[in-house]
Amino acid sequence: YGAVRVRGTYDQIGKGFSFLYKHLHSLMIGKAYGFYYDMEYKEVDAQFEAVIEIKKPVAIPGIICSSITPIPAVTLLHKGPYGTQGSSYFKIFHYCSSRGYTMKPPLIEQFIKGPGMFLKGNPKNYLTRITVLFDRGKSI
């Protein structure tokens, strides 16, 4: 994947995606993701990455290239506008903690259905897959 690290408010992820699309458009092969490195919500100074799947690594300043290694995780599909995922995060965190899973960053959002390049679409129909990673010592 190709990623750009962002530190600030969550709405700044769009700038990260714009930067990635500008430099990696011809190499894109999959969905867009947000990797969130804080395990709690932060109004400011949040640490996250805008991420897209690409065909091959590149050497472009400001872009991090890596691969994803499969690890144990729990996922939940959220339907609705961006910024309304709070109840979905509550559910997935409760599920993990009730089973004794030790959650670890990054929290991952895969943007399955959202605004297009030119048309915004109906935010009520956006689909976001939320993934929480946990230590290998626990299994589902």
Side-chain angles (χ1 to χ4, degrees):
Y1 66 84
V4 63
R5 181 63 68 114
V6 180
R7 189 173 193 134
T9 58
Y10 297 112
D11 63 347
Q12 293 174 313
I13 198 165
K15 291 179 184 176
F17 284 121
S18 292
F19 181 78
L20 290 173
Y21 294 149
K22 177 181 175 183
H23 295 286
L24 301 177
H25 181 72
S26 64
L27 297 174
M28 291 172 46
I29 59 170
K31 299 284 185 188
Y33 298 81
F35 286 14
Y36 302 92
Y37 291 93
D38 302 301
M39 293 303 289
E40 72 281 340
Y41 177 81
K42 287 188 164 184
E43 287 287 332
V44 295
D45 203 34
Q47 298 180 61
F48 51 95
E49 292 176 342
V51 179
I52 57 173
E53 296 174 351
I54 55 175
K55 295 176 192 173
K56 61 182 181 178
V58 296
I60 298 173
I63 295 180
I64 302 161
C65 290
S66 188
S67 60
I68 298 174
T69 303
I71 61 173
V74 175
T75 65
L76 177 112
L77 189 61
H78 172 81
K79 184 175 182 179
Y82 300 141
T84 64
Q85 299 101 321
S87 62
S88 293
Y89 272 103
F90 178 81
K91 288 176 188 175
I92 200 167
F93 285 173
H94 177 73
Y95 178 89
C96 290
S97 64
S98 71
R99 283 156 180 78
Y101 299 157
T102 303
M103 297 173 280
K104 61 188 221 172
L107 301 171
I108 300 170
E109 292 182 357
Q110 179 186 20
F111 308 112
I112 297 171
K113 184 177 181 184
M117 294 291 286
F118 303 105
L119 298 174
K120 210 173 169 165
N122 184 346
K124 291 179 183 178
N125 294 324
Y126 291 177
L127 294 175
T128 306
R129 178 176 289 122
I130 298 170
T131 301
V132 174
L133 310 175
F134 58 90
D135 285 331
R136 292 186 184 275
K138 292 284 185 174
S139 60
I140 295 179

